[in-house]
């Protein structure tokens, strides 16, 4: 890892948090918005490994909680778990290939399901209506939208072509 | 022997570092969640979102170059003031009819509105928050209602120098005592992550869809009548001991542009008794 990588990751995370709070709500569909930060966490997990993904998930979630006014710790909790889960699919030798293939999309979808489920439960969603209701009304739409927004990342990585490992 | 031992520990550390990280980070997040209402944590948050809001404000200045007409802004502010006035007069009118001419001693103080711009939004089904460009320096403080020309938007939750976080109606942590205008039934309005609901109302109350819902004078957060929305349906008319109403808010949070903080010194002082929502302030 080069000495510039960590500052670049932090800067990218801060810019993405800024975009997530200021610009992304403009493209919300019936309150459902894509989670760009989660895509970044999954990307880091698949590129740098489970430990890095877990820590970056926690840090990005914490900064987002601080900047957004959400329940402090809720985003951190959800994104830590998402980064940790995505890290299971890390493989040093196939990392570049995975990030350019449909597998990245599937991992984003899995991580988004975990992120959204955990976030809603810890952030105070009225679970008395049942998990199925939560799943249909919030988790699945959020997940689909986040997965959709991961497609440009895959296209970009394929377009760029060079090694990203 | 010791070299082997260090090698073993090193190997164990590498293989379990992700597990250790997830354990530590989840523990920290749980601690933060439990301490989220602590005054020191709130101060930290005020500082952090103030730093963030500076950048958001800069971005907002850029977009406002294509900006809004000053005259429209003023008209919207006037609309918001009129909405408050109409709401107050409606309430007085209903009371007047009920009391048949008896003098009703009500709050006669005026409303001072602080026009604000939304710098950023945090949107999720559980929490919908706004960051606005007004804060302590403009006289905004925690607990002040935020409105637009249609009705209540939310309540100021945290303030920094020149920015504030507003918890909107669509936030599971905001619970407001509200009153149905015609029947006079009061209840605690809350967002359940999917719908705005008013639970635990007596079955005997003759509540019909379309009835307006206002903030209640019994609320320690907002005790001026501000329209919130109207009843769209009774969720469980045939079952249970209590009725549960679904409320449609007048304000469309996704299309908000001009909002106003009601900078009001309430006529009815609460003498330091606050709801748990604001307990830490």
């Amino acid at each position: 890892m080069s000495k510039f990588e960590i500052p670049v990751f932090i800067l990218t995370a801060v810019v993405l948090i800024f975009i997530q709070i200021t610009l992304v709500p403009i493209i919300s569909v019936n309150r459902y918005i894509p989670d760009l930060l989660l895509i970044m966490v999954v990307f880091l997990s698949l590129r740098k490994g489970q430990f890095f993904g877990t820590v970056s998930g926690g840090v990005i979630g914490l900064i987002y909680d601080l900047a957004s006014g959400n329940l402090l710790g809720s985003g951190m909790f959800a994104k830590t778990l998402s980064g940790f889960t995505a890290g299971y699919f890390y493989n040093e030798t196939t990392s570049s290939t995975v990030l350019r293939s449909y597998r990245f999309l599937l991992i984003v979808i899995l991580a988004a399901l975990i992120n959204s489920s955990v976030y809603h439960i810890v952030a105070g969603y009225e679970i008395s209506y049942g998990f199925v209701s939560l799943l249909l009304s919030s988790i699945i739409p959020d997940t689909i939208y986040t997965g959709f927004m991961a497609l440009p990342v895959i296209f970009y990585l394929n377009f760029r072509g060079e090694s990203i490992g | 022997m010791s070299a082997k031992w260090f090698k073993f520990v090193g190997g164990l550390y590498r293989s379990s570092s992700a597990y250790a990280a997830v354990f530590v980070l989840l523990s920290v997040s749980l601690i933060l969640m439990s301490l989220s209402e602590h005054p020191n944590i709130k101060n930290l948050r005020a500082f952090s979102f103030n730093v963030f809001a500076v950048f958001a404000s800069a971005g907002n200045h850029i977009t406002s170059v294509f900006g809004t007409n000053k005259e429209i802004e003023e008209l919207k502010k006037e609309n918001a003031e009129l909405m408050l006035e109409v709401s107050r007069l409606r309430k007085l009118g209903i009371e007047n009819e009920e009391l048949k001419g008896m003098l009703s001693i009500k709050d006669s103080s005026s409303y001072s509105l602080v026009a604000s711009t939304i710098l950023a939004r945090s949107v999720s089904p559980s929490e919908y928050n706004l960051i606005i460009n007004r804060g302590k320096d403009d006289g905004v403080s925690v607990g002040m209602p935020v409105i637009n020309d249609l009705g209540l938007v939310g309540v100021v939750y945290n303030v920094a120098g020149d920015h504030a976080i507003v918890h909107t109606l669509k936030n599971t942590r905001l619970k407001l005592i509200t009153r149905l205008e015609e029947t006079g039934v009061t209840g605690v309005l809350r967002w359940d992550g999917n719908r705005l609901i008013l639970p635990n109302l007596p079955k005997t109350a003759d509540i019909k869809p379309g009835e307006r819902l206002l903030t209640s004078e019994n609320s320690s957060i907002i005790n001026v009548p501000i329209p919130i929305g109207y009843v769209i349906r009774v969720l469980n008319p045939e079952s249970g001991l209590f009725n549960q109403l679904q409320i449609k808010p007048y304000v469309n949070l996704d299309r908000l542009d001009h909002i106003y903080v009601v900078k009001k010194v309430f006529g009815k002082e609460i003498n330091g008794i606050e709801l748990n929502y604001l307990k830490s302030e």
Side-chain angles (χ1 to χ4, degrees), chain B residues 76-105:
Chain B
K76 290 210 171 190
K77 185 178 180 187
E78 196 178 329
N79 273 349
E81 285 167 346
L82 288 172
M83 180 273 294
L84 286 173
E85 191 60 23
V86 166
S87 183
R88 196 172 70 91
L89 291 174
R90 281 177 70 119
K91 179 174 177 283
L92 290 176
I94 290 170
E95 279 179 358
N96 195 39
E97 209 164 289
E98 284 175 356
L99 298 172
K100 295 183 187 303
M102 282 176 66
L103 183 63
S104 58
I105 303 166

Tab-separated table of all heavy atoms in Angstrom, chain B residues 76-105:
chain	number	residue	atom	x	y	z
B	76	LYS	N	-43.353	33.592	0.280
B	76	LYS	CA	-43.468	32.306	0.978
B	76	LYS	C	-43.384	32.517	2.480
B	76	LYS	O	-44.050	31.838	3.253
B	76	LYS	CB	-42.374	31.361	0.494
B	76	LYS	CG	-42.604	30.895	-0.925
B	76	LYS	CD	-42.040	29.531	-1.170
B	76	LYS	CE	-42.488	29.023	-2.533
B	76	LYS	NZ	-42.182	27.641	-2.758
B	77	LYS	N	-42.534	33.444	2.901
B	77	LYS	CA	-42.437	33.728	4.335
B	77	LYS	C	-43.766	34.293	4.842
B	77	LYS	O	-44.258	33.917	5.897
B	77	LYS	CB	-41.305	34.728	4.586
B	77	LYS	CG	-41.061	34.967	6.056
B	77	LYS	CD	-39.923	35.907	6.321
B	77	LYS	CE	-39.756	36.093	7.819
B	77	LYS	NZ	-38.780	37.126	8.153
B	78	GLU	N	-44.338	35.179	4.035
B	78	GLU	CA	-45.615	35.759	4.432
B	78	GLU	C	-46.687	34.673	4.508
B	78	GLU	O	-47.515	34.672	5.419
B	78	GLU	CB	-46.006	36.832	3.409
B	78	GLU	CG	-47.102	37.752	3.910
B	78	GLU	CD	-47.423	38.829	2.881
B	78	GLU	OE1	-46.515	39.235	2.137
B	78	GLU	OE2	-48.595	39.221	2.834
B	79	ASN	N	-46.646	33.754	3.555
B	79	ASN	CA	-47.589	32.626	3.578
B	79	ASN	C	-47.450	31.823	4.858
B	79	ASN	O	-48.443	31.403	5.450
B	79	ASN	CB	-47.323	31.698	2.393
B	79	ASN	CG	-48.079	32.138	1.171
B	79	ASN	OD1	-48.942	33.005	1.254
B	79	ASN	ND2	-47.751	31.562	0.039
B	80	ALA	N	-46.192	31.572	5.269
B	80	ALA	CA	-45.964	30.804	6.491
B	80	ALA	C	-46.522	31.536	7.703
B	80	ALA	O	-47.129	30.932	8.596
B	80	ALA	CB	-44.471	30.542	6.667
B	81	GLU	N	-46.314	32.863	7.733
B	81	GLU	CA	-46.855	33.650	8.855
B	81	GLU	C	-48.379	33.597	8.862
B	81	GLU	O	-49.005	33.439	9.907
B	81	GLU	CB	-46.371	35.104	8.737
B	81	GLU	CG	-44.904	35.268	9.123
B	81	GLU	CD	-44.328	36.619	8.711
B	81	GLU	OE1	-44.960	37.333	7.911
B	81	GLU	OE2	-43.237	36.932	9.190
B	82	LEU	N	-48.944	33.698	7.663
B	82	LEU	CA	-50.410	33.654	7.565
B	82	LEU	C	-50.944	32.279	7.961
B	82	LEU	O	-51.998	32.169	8.587
B	82	LEU	CB	-50.848	33.999	6.139
B	82	LEU	CG	-50.685	35.475	5.761
B	82	LEU	CD1	-50.952	35.670	4.274
B	82	LEU	CD2	-51.636	36.340	6.577
B	83	MET	N	-50.201	31.235	7.588
B	83	MET	CA	-50.620	29.878	7.957
B	83	MET	C	-50.707	29.745	9.468
B	83	MET	O	-51.663	29.190	10.010
B	83	MET	CB	-49.618	28.872	7.378
B	83	MET	CG	-49.898	27.425	7.672
B	83	MET	SD	-49.213	26.862	9.217
B	83	MET	CE	-47.471	26.991	8.926
B	84	LEU	N	-49.692	30.291	10.168
B	84	LEU	CA	-49.713	30.235	11.631
B	84	LEU	C	-50.895	31.025	12.190
B	84	LEU	O	-51.571	30.595	13.119
B	84	LEU	CB	-48.405	30.805	12.199
B	84	LEU	CG	-47.161	29.939	12.069
B	84	LEU	CD1	-45.928	30.708	12.521
B	84	LEU	CD2	-47.306	28.682	12.916
B	85	GLU	N	-51.116	32.169	11.595
B	85	GLU	CA	-52.193	33.034	12.074
B	85	GLU	C	-53.559	32.372	11.834
B	85	GLU	O	-54.415	32.349	12.721
B	85	GLU	CB	-52.093	34.390	11.348
B	85	GLU	CG	-52.970	35.490	11.922
B	85	GLU	CD	-52.655	35.801	13.373
B	85	GLU	OE1	-51.539	35.523	13.822
B	85	GLU	OE2	-53.563	36.292	14.076
B	86	VAL	N	-53.730	31.834	10.634
B	86	VAL	CA	-54.998	31.167	10.307
B	86	VAL	C	-55.228	29.991	11.257
B	86	VAL	O	-56.327	29.785	11.770
B	86	VAL	CB	-54.990	30.678	8.836
B	86	VAL	CG1	-56.128	29.709	8.567
B	86	VAL	CG2	-55.081	31.852	7.899
B	87	SER	N	-54.147	29.259	11.493
B	87	SER	CA	-54.268	28.106	12.376
B	87	SER	C	-54.695	28.528	13.781
B	87	SER	O	-55.539	27.904	14.415
B	87	SER	CB	-52.922	27.396	12.401
B	87	SER	OG	-53.006	26.262	13.177
B	88	ARG	N	-54.096	29.609	14.243
B	88	ARG	CA	-54.431	30.108	15.588
B	88	ARG	C	-55.883	30.586	15.615
B	88	ARG	O	-56.632	30.316	16.542
B	88	ARG	CB	-53.485	31.255	15.941
B	88	ARG	CG	-53.460	31.610	17.419
B	88	ARG	CD	-52.350	32.605	17.690
B	88	ARG	NE	-52.634	33.918	17.128
B	88	ARG	CZ	-53.257	34.894	17.774
B	88	ARG	NH1	-53.630	34.712	19.029
B	88	ARG	NH2	-53.484	36.051	17.207
B	89	LEU	N	-56.291	31.279	14.555
B	89	LEU	CA	-57.655	31.805	14.513
B	89	LEU	C	-58.692	30.688	14.418
B	89	LEU	O	-59.761	30.764	15.032
B	89	LEU	CB	-57.806	32.770	13.329
B	89	LEU	CG	-57.031	34.078	13.479
B	89	LEU	CD1	-57.108	34.903	12.205
B	89	LEU	CD2	-57.547	34.889	14.652
B	90	ARG	N	-58.362	29.657	13.652
B	90	ARG	CA	-59.282	28.498	13.566
B	90	ARG	C	-59.483	27.888	14.927
B	90	ARG	O	-60.591	27.535	15.316
B	90	ARG	CB	-58.702	27.448	12.613
B	90	ARG	CG	-58.902	27.762	11.158
B	90	ARG	CD	-58.231	26.705	10.327
B	90	ARG	NE	-58.939	25.431	10.421
B	90	ARG	CZ	-59.484	24.814	9.391
B	90	ARG	NH1	-59.394	25.346	8.197
B	90	ARG	NH2	-60.099	23.672	9.547
B	91	LYS	N	-58.374	27.746	15.644
B	91	LYS	CA	-58.449	27.145	16.974
B	91	LYS	C	-59.315	28.014	17.888
B	91	LYS	O	-60.177	27.526	18.600
B	91	LYS	CB	-57.040	27.001	17.542
B	91	LYS	CG	-56.984	26.406	18.922
B	91	LYS	CD	-55.545	26.178	19.336
B	91	LYS	CE	-55.465	25.656	20.752
B	91	LYS	NZ	-55.661	26.690	21.747
B	92	LEU	N	-59.044	29.317	17.813
B	92	LEU	CA	-59.826	30.226	18.657
B	92	LEU	C	-61.297	30.194	18.271
B	92	LEU	O	-62.185	30.258	19.124
B	92	LEU	CB	-59.274	31.655	18.529
B	92	LEU	CG	-57.907	31.900	19.168
B	92	LEU	CD1	-57.430	33.311	18.897
B	92	LEU	CD2	-57.969	31.652	20.671
B	93	GLY	N	-61.538	30.072	16.947
B	93	GLY	CA	-62.920	30.021	16.480
B	93	GLY	C	-63.654	28.807	17.038
B	93	GLY	O	-64.789	28.918	17.511
B	94	ILE	N	-62.991	27.666	16.995
B	94	ILE	CA	-63.614	26.443	17.517
B	94	ILE	C	-63.838	26.554	19.025
B	94	ILE	O	-64.908	26.224	19.545
B	94	ILE	CB	-62.739	25.224	17.173
B	94	ILE	CG1	-62.799	24.962	15.667
B	94	ILE	CG2	-63.189	23.979	17.934
B	94	ILE	CD1	-61.809	23.949	15.163
B	95	GLU	N	-62.845	27.097	19.706
B	95	GLU	CA	-62.990	27.266	21.164
B	95	GLU	C	-64.120	28.241	21.480
B	95	GLU	O	-64.901	28.037	22.399
B	95	GLU	CB	-61.669	27.797	21.750
B	95	GLU	CG	-60.638	26.709	21.958
B	95	GLU	CD	-59.346	27.263	22.511
B	95	GLU	OE1	-59.236	28.488	22.699
B	95	GLU	OE2	-58.452	26.451	22.723
B	96	ASN	N	-64.176	29.278	20.671
B	96	ASN	CA	-65.193	30.306	20.896
B	96	ASN	C	-66.591	29.709	20.794
B	96	ASN	O	-67.476	30.004	21.609
B	96	ASN	CB	-65.003	31.407	19.850
B	96	ASN	CG	-65.765	32.660	20.219
B	96	ASN	OD1	-65.812	33.033	21.395
B	96	ASN	ND2	-66.372	33.286	19.243
B	97	GLU	N	-66.742	28.864	19.796
B	97	GLU	CA	-68.039	28.213	19.616
B	97	GLU	C	-68.346	27.296	20.793
B	97	GLU	O	-69.454	27.290	21.319
B	97	GLU	CB	-68.004	27.402	18.330
B	97	GLU	CG	-69.359	27.265	17.683
B	97	GLU	CD	-69.206	26.810	16.245
B	97	GLU	OE1	-68.743	27.613	15.413
B	97	GLU	OE2	-69.554	25.656	15.999
B	98	GLU	N	-67.336	26.559	21.217
B	98	GLU	CA	-67.519	25.610	22.322
B	98	GLU	C	-67.837	26.325	23.630
B	98	GLU	O	-68.652	25.890	24.428
B	98	GLU	CB	-66.257	24.763	22.504
B	98	GLU	CG	-66.085	23.677	21.468
B	98	GLU	CD	-64.770	22.940	21.621
B	98	GLU	OE1	-63.958	23.329	22.485
B	98	GLU	OE2	-64.573	21.991	20.847
B	99	LEU	N	-67.150	27.386	23.863
B	99	LEU	CA	-67.307	28.066	25.157
B	99	LEU	C	-68.439	29.097	25.153
B	99	LEU	O	-68.685	29.751	26.159
B	99	LEU	CB	-66.000	28.735	25.558
B	99	LEU	CG	-64.819	27.777	25.749
B	99	LEU	CD1	-63.527	28.545	25.954
B	99	LEU	CD2	-65.066	26.841	26.915
B	100	LYS	N	-69.043	29.274	24.021
B	100	LYS	CA	-70.198	30.165	23.862
B	100	LYS	C	-69.943	31.544	24.467
B	100	LYS	O	-70.656	32.007	25.362
B	100	LYS	CB	-71.448	29.536	24.497
B	100	LYS	CG	-71.900	28.266	23.806
B	100	LYS	CD	-73.156	27.749	24.432
B	100	LYS	CE	-73.535	26.398	23.881
B	100	LYS	NZ	-73.716	26.343	22.462
B	101	GLY	N	-68.933	32.143	23.946
B	101	GLY	CA	-68.705	33.531	24.326
B	101	GLY	C	-67.838	33.750	25.537
B	101	GLY	O	-67.484	34.885	25.851
B	102	MET	N	-67.518	32.629	26.230
B	102	MET	CA	-66.641	32.836	27.384
B	102	MET	C	-65.291	33.328	26.904
B	102	MET	O	-64.827	32.966	25.840
B	102	MET	CB	-66.447	31.529	28.152
B	102	MET	CG	-67.617	31.173	29.019
B	102	MET	SD	-67.369	29.569	29.787
B	102	MET	CE	-66.004	29.916	30.854
B	103	LEU	N	-64.666	34.122	27.695
B	103	LEU	CA	-63.374	34.673	27.293
B	103	LEU	C	-62.318	33.587	27.331
B	103	LEU	O	-62.123	32.934	28.340
B	103	LEU	CB	-63.003	35.808	28.252
B	103	LEU	CG	-61.710	36.546	27.933
B	103	LEU	CD1	-61.817	37.244	26.596
B	103	LEU	CD2	-61.373	37.517	29.042
B	104	SER	N	-61.649	33.426	26.222
B	104	SER	CA	-60.568	32.439	26.245
B	104	SER	C	-59.251	33.186	26.323
B	104	SER	O	-58.934	34.035	25.489
B	104	SER	CB	-60.613	31.578	24.986
B	104	SER	OG	-60.505	32.389	23.867
B	105	ILE	N	-58.494	32.894	27.339
B	105	ILE	CA	-57.218	33.588	27.518
B	105	ILE	C	-56.144	32.762	26.845
B	105	ILE	O	-55.785	31.698	27.323
B	105	ILE	CB	-56.913	33.757	29.016
B	105	ILE	CG1	-58.065	34.512	29.663
B	105	ILE	CG2	-55.599	34.486	29.224
B	105	ILE	CD1	-58.069	34.450	31.156
